[in-house]
Amino acid sequence: MAERYDCHYCKESLIGEKYVVCEEKPYCVTCYESLYANTCEDCRKPIGCSSRDLSYKDRHWHEDCFHCFHCQRPLVDKPFCTRDEQLLCTECYSTLYSSKCHQCKKTIMPGSRKTEYKGSSWHETCFTCQHCQQPIGTKSFIPQDNSNYCVSCYEEQFALQCVHCTKPITSGGVTYRGQPWHKDCFLCTGCKEQLSGQRFTSRDGAPYCLGCFCSLYAKKCVSCTSPISAMPGLGSSQYISFEERQWHNDCFNCKKCSVSLVGRGFLTDRDDILCPECGKEV
């Protein structure tokens, strides 16, 4: 008696018939397609054993059904895109969905390098500096009057120049006498310390810190020889002036008894000042 070779599912004989082995078990074509064949995304029919099964992200198509949703051109062995689960050739996708370059107005093809800024898109080669026309790419840029500039061109065209070093001021400058300075360039004329953020005054148009101004230009007290810090616009120390000589209030005392002479009458003996009582003894 001949050995039987039947379909694992329907038990019909497979001798002389086409069949498919799945998980080491034989199936007739009808049973295999009913149990295991994928359904085509386009025509919704099973993809039989005699058809080529094309798959993409767990979805399946007959070879003839694998075409652009918009223009119907075959996509087999061609680049394609998807939108809302629909297959599209690159041309249709670009026409329907790709952004247009803000500069040349042409479509930016899928996969092309592009730059996006403030809701607009450019081909990478079209996003250029307004002045030098070189592509900006991934470099820093500065917008100005609806145009974009690379940093060096912006500094050359628009940045203020420091009156001391003549280089562009790109951040945090100082204005003195209506002119721009770098903070690092705005220094005391005397000690060369930075003046930004501290009180200062000037002499003949040159800026000085308070210490240097007092040391160089302030009047000296006759008694203690220390500067009397009286500087224009910054307030004045209380002092006494007599015959082109000056004293701090605290230093304006009788030479002999050291009593304060502020607000009192006094006498002089050569370069000394004396209270009236001590003056009578001279």
Side-chain angles (χ1 to χ4, degrees):
M1 184 175 180
E3 183 179 355
R4 293 185 61 82
Y5 191 66
D6 301 334
C7 171
H8 179 72
Y9 188 74
C10 70
K11 307 306 181 184
E12 291 293 326
S13 175
L14 298 177
I15 296 175
E17 303 291 337
K18 290 183 178 180
Y19 65 92
V20 179
V21 176
C22 182
E23 298 177 354
E24 299 183 356
K25 297 179 178 63
Y27 293 86
C28 66
V29 172
T30 301
C31 288
Y32 176 82
E33 292 181 350
S34 174
L35 294 171
Y36 298 107
N38 294 308
T39 300
C40 176
E41 291 284 334
D42 185 58
C43 70
R44 310 309 301 173
K45 295 178 181 179
I47 303 174
C49 299
S50 59
S51 300
R52 184 180 177 186
D53 186 337
L54 302 179
S55 64
Y56 173 71
K57 289 187 176 182
D58 297 327
R59 300 165 66 203
H60 299 263
W61 291 262
H62 291 104
E63 183 174 7
D64 293 340
C65 295
F66 196 68
H67 52 72
C68 174
F69 177 81
H70 186 68
C71 70
Q72 305 301 312
R73 282 183 290 184
L75 295 176
V76 179
D77 299 326
K78 293 182 179 179
F80 63 91
C81 305
T82 60
R83 179 69 178 241
D84 300 329
E85 298 189 350
Q86 296 173 348
L87 301 175
L88 294 165
C89 64
T90 54
E91 291 81 1
C92 287
Y93 183 90
S94 298
T95 301
L96 295 171
Y97 301 113
S98 291
S99 54
K100 299 294 190 296
C101 176
H102 186 77
Q103 177 67 25
C104 70
K105 310 305 180 186
K106 295 180 180 179
T107 298
I108 301 176
M109 299 295 289
S112 300
R113 298 175 67 89
K114 66 177 181 178
T115 300
E116 294 183 345
Y117 176 64
K118 286 189 174 181
S120 297
S121 300
W122 287 259
H123 292 107
E124 188 177 51
T125 54
C126 291
F127 192 68
T128 59
C129 170
Q130 178 69 20
H131 182 66
C132 69
Q133 298 301 311
Q134 294 301 307
I136 293 173
T138 58
K139 296 183 293 185
S140 298
F141 66 93
I142 302 172
Q144 176 77 18
D145 299 331
N146 296 320
S147 297
N148 301 307
Y149 294 83
C150 63
V151 174
S152 58
C153 285
Y154 179 85
E155 292 177 353
E156 178 185 337
Q157 295 292 308
F158 302 106
L160 295 173
Q161 291 186 331
C162 174
V163 297
H164 177 72
C165 69
T166 69
K167 294 180 180 179
I169 300 174
T170 56
S171 64
V174 174
T175 299
Y176 173 64
R177 298 173 70 90
Q179 295 180 314
W181 301 63
H182 289 113
K183 286 184 178 180
D184 294 341
C185 292
F186 190 58
L187 308 176
C188 171
T189 306
C191 66
K192 307 305 180 185
E193 290 296 318
Q194 191 176 115
L195 294 177
S196 177
Q198 65 170 303
R199 298 175 72 194
F200 65 92
T201 187
S202 63
R203 175 80 173 225
D204 300 326
Y208 292 87
C209 67
L210 302 191
C212 286
F213 185 89
C214 289
S215 175
L216 294 170
Y217 300 112
K219 300 178 186 298
K220 303 294 192 298
C221 175
V222 172
S223 177
C224 71
T225 69
S226 296
I228 298 173
S229 56
M231 286 166 283
L234 297 177
S236 300
S237 297
Q238 294 294 318
Y239 69 98
I240 304 297
S241 181
F242 175 68
E243 293 182 349
E244 298 184 355
R245 294 187 298 164
Q246 289 78 34
W247 292 260
H248 291 107
N249 272 15
D250 294 340
C251 296
F252 193 60
N253 303 322
C254 174
K255 180 67 175 180
K256 286 190 174 183
C257 68
S258 299
V259 68
S260 175
L261 298 177
V262 177
R264 299 181 57 187
F266 60 89
L267 301 173
T268 61
D269 180 22
R270 296 182 179 87
D271 290 336
D272 298 334
I273 55 172
L274 304 169
C275 65
E277 290 76 13
C278 291
K280 292 176 183 179
E281 299 174 1
V282 178

